[in-house]
Amino acid sequence: MKSTATKFDQNGTLKKNRENADESEHKIAQGLRCLLVDELQNIYWAEKAHIKAISKMIKNATADVLVEALTRNFNVTKEHITRLKEVFSLIGEKAETKKCKAMSGLIREAKEIMKKTKAGMVRDVGIILAVQKVEHYEIATYGTLCSFAKTLGEINVASLLHETLDQGKAASKKLSEIADSFIIAEIAGAV
């Protein structure tokens, strides 16, 4: 009978030895790292596409407070792109993009909203809706990537990603404030 790396306990349950457990943990860590890199490439593409979309939204927005918020969002998104380049460098990977189907769909929706609405408050509210969807996608992505980085022991990477996560949350909060306090109030007064 051949000796194998697996053994059974008194109850007949398969019992892995430490060597197999270490190998399994290594494979899991490798898989998680591959997923991290893949999703970083995805969000890198998404941030670059977001920059282009924000430019169009700024041109289509009419409320000054929204234009200001979108302009801030544009500048912060540039920071996200720079930060992602640093993340790629820290993990020893080339900063490459991989098309993000989710962001592509969200941007397509934003374009449709702007096309279907007349310039003014309704379009402004539609733009806020579109940007909020993007921000929430980014919040979900960066939050998960932070967890992946921490799990892999990439503390500096996690810190950079968390900084972007915090900025996304702040942008979402600001857009909600604009919608609640200004644009929605204007629409309610006009109805």
Side-chain angles (χ1 to χ4, degrees):
M1 185 170 168
K2 286 187 177 180
S3 173
T4 63
T6 56
K7 297 181 182 179
F8 294 91
D9 66 15
Q10 294 173 344
N11 300 321
T13 306
L14 185 65
K15 185 175 159 184
K16 293 182 179 179
N17 65 22
R18 187 69 232 163
E19 185 178 301
N20 282 348
D22 288 346
E23 184 178 316
S24 178
E25 289 170 10
H26 179 72
K27 285 181 181 179
I28 291 169
Q30 280 182 318
L32 186 59
R33 187 177 192 292
C34 286
L35 185 58
L36 173 70
V37 171
D38 189 58
E39 291 304 313
L40 285 169
Q41 291 170 340
N42 231 323
I43 197 69
Y44 189 44
W45 185 94
E47 293 286 17
K48 287 182 168 193
H50 189 193
I51 282 282
K52 292 175 187 172
I54 294 170
S55 295
K56 292 175 184 169
M57 291 176 193
I58 290 169
K59 291 175 185 169
N60 281 278
T62 57
D64 290 339
V65 67
L66 180 56
V67 171
E68 289 170 18
L70 291 171
T71 302
R72 259 192 319 276
N73 191 281
F74 179 86
N75 292 325
V76 168
T77 302
K78 283 189 199 177
E79 289 177 28
H80 296 179
I81 291 168
T82 300
R83 202 172 292 125
L84 281 168
K85 289 177 186 176
E86 188 176 348
V87 165
F88 280 111
S89 177
L90 285 171
I91 63 172
E93 295 285 337
K94 185 177 178 184
E96 294 181 331
T97 62
K98 178 181 173 191
K99 185 173 183 176
C100 177
K101 293 176 185 175
M103 182 63 80
S104 180
L106 292 172
I107 291 170
R108 191 171 38 257
E109 279 186 40
K111 288 177 182 176
E112 287 174 17
I113 287 170
M114 289 185 290
K115 186 178 179 179
K116 290 180 180 180
T117 56
K118 292 181 181 179
M121 288 298 160
V122 173
R123 182 180 289 165
D124 286 353
V125 173
I127 289 170
I128 289 174
L129 171 68
V131 177
Q132 284 284 42
K133 287 181 178 185
V134 168
E135 290 302 331
H136 285 263
Y137 170 76
E138 290 178 358
I139 289 167
T141 300
Y142 282 110
T144 304
L145 292 177
C146 283
S147 295
F148 289 178
K150 286 178 192 172
T151 300
L152 292 168
E154 296 283 357
I155 304 306
N156 292 336
V157 169
S159 178
L160 289 171
L161 294 171
H162 199 274
E163 191 174 341
T164 300
L165 173 63
D166 287 344
Q167 287 177 325
K169 289 177 181 178
S172 177
K173 182 179 178 186
K174 181 64 179 173
L175 288 166
S176 291
E177 289 170 1
I178 292 168
D180 291 344
S181 69
F182 181 72
I183 296 173
I184 299 297
E186 285 291 322
I187 290 172
V191 175

